[in-house]
């Protein structure tokens, strides 16, 4: 019933830009903290950025100033605008929705982002 559907991943050259989208269904979207995580081969999954119900944001230091997270509650969609991409940004990017009061935690299927040198 709950679905997080990601799109926008792909191959991009270093210095380029990409915008990821996460479309949510089956949840009351505005009640959830939304976030982007990424996992590179051989590494742990890490938080990239998240955004709360009132659009308060947090960013990993490695992406601060380059990435922008946003949400459109009317469209039940979260975005990640990625600029000045680096090869070290290469990873599978996952959408996450969390409602801490209900201990709900949902994940998307992941979308591959590859940044070539």
């Amino acid at each position: 019933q709950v679905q997080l559907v990601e799109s926008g991943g792909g191959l991009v050259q270093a210095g380029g830009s990409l915008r990821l989208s996460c479309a949510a269904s089956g949840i009351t979207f505005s009640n959830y903290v939304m976030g982007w995580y990424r996992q590179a081969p051989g590494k742990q999954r890490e938080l990239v950025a998240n955004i709360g119900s009132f659009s308060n944001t947090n960013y990993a230091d490695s992406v601060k100033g380059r990435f922008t997270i946003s949400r459109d509650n009317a469209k039940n969609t979260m975005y990640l605008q990625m600029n000045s991409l680096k090869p070290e940004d290469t990873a599978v990017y996952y959408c996450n929705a969390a409602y801490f009061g209900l201990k709900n935690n949902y994940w998307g299927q992941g979308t591959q982002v590859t940044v070539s040198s």
Side-chain angles (χ1 to χ4, degrees):
Q1 185 176 17
V2 177
Q3 282 192 304
L4 303 176
V5 180
E6 303 170 3
S7 61
L11 176 65
V12 65
Q13 294 182 339
S17 297
L18 214 57
R19 190 170 86 149
L20 306 183
S21 299
C22 172
S25 60
I27 62 172
T28 304
F29 183 81
S30 61
N31 290 340
Y32 281 73
V33 175
M34 302 297 298
W36 290 100
Y37 291 72
R38 68 186 182 188
Q39 188 167 23
K43 303 196 71 176
Q44 295 282 341
R45 188 173 299 186
E46 65 176 353
L47 175 69
V48 177
N50 61 16
I51 181 166
S53 297
F54 298 99
S55 294
N56 49 304
T57 59
N58 295 286
Y59 294 91
D61 287 342
S62 59
V63 308
K64 197 170 297 182
R66 300 187 297 121
F67 291 9
T68 303
I69 190 170
S70 61
R71 66 192 294 163
D72 187 338
N73 288 343
K75 296 181 178 179
N76 287 0
T77 303
M78 174 184 63
Y79 306 95
L80 185 67
Q81 179 66 46
M82 303 184 293
N83 298 327
S84 302
L85 282 161
K86 305 174 180 180
E88 49 263 46
D89 295 318
T90 295
V92 178
Y93 284 70
Y94 296 91
C95 176
N96 174 261
Y99 189 163
F100 297 107
L102 296 177
K103 302 185 187 299
N104 290 346
N105 193 38
Y106 303 108
W107 293 93
Q109 78 287 346
T111 185
Q112 177 70 47
V113 172
T114 302
V115 184
S116 63
S117 60

